[in-house]
Amino acid sequence: MEKIAMGLLSFTPEEKDVKKLQETIRHYSENQQEVLFLWKEAEDMIGAIGVHVDDEEKQITIQHVSVNPSHRDNGIGQQMVQALCQRYESYEVVGNELTDDFLSKCK
């Protein structure tokens, strides 16, 4: 799934550089507090949402949100955020400097 995740994250402006993208994927795979979820519809992976999980503070920080351009404007990003909120229902879900604006639109 690494190549699919890289492909989805490459749609975000901050992850255009291949070395930066590889570093981001490595960061998610090597750190237990970092989780990258893929969103699947039918047989296609069409979105990715990456988070930092702080169990001590009971807080989830959304670090990346990416949706395949051909599936944008269909509410996929919002559905991913809602699914994340349900999965971590006892946690506060916040954004970072890259995802804050998007997250505020989802609430």
Side-chain angles (χ1 to χ4, degrees):
M1 294 287 182
E2 185 175 308
K3 287 183 181 182
I4 293 170
M6 286 180 69
L8 288 167
L9 285 179
S10 72
F11 295 126
T12 60
E14 301 77 27
E15 301 294 334
K16 293 289 184 194
D17 177 65
V18 174
K19 288 185 184 194
K20 169 72 169 109
L21 186 55
Q22 289 171 330
E23 180 183 314
T24 298
I25 293 295
R26 186 172 38 256
H27 183 75
Y28 278 113
S29 65
E30 292 177 355
N31 296 296
Q32 289 184 358
Q33 290 183 301
E34 312 293 323
V35 183
L36 183 64
F37 296 99
L38 301 180
W39 188 263
K40 184 176 181 178
E41 283 198 355
E43 296 301 314
D44 298 322
M45 295 293 183
I46 61 169
I49 187 165
V51 300
H52 172 83
V53 180
D54 186 336
D55 290 316
E56 205 169 283
E57 296 291 323
K58 294 287 190 193
Q59 187 175 67
I60 304 295
T61 303
I62 298 177
Q63 302 179 123
H64 295 94
V65 178
S66 180
V67 176
N68 182 312
S70 63
H71 293 275
R72 289 187 183 159
D73 299 322
N74 294 324
I76 303 299
Q78 187 172 14
Q79 289 175 40
M80 290 191 300
V81 169
Q82 288 171 351
L84 185 70
C85 289
Q86 288 175 351
R87 181 181 181 108
Y88 294 97
E89 63 184 342
S90 64
Y91 286 65
E92 176 187 20
V93 177
V94 299
N96 65 11
E97 65 277 353
L98 302 174
T99 62
D100 241 352
D101 288 341
F102 176 75
L103 185 59
S104 68
K105 293 175 188 174
C106 292
K107 294 183 177 181

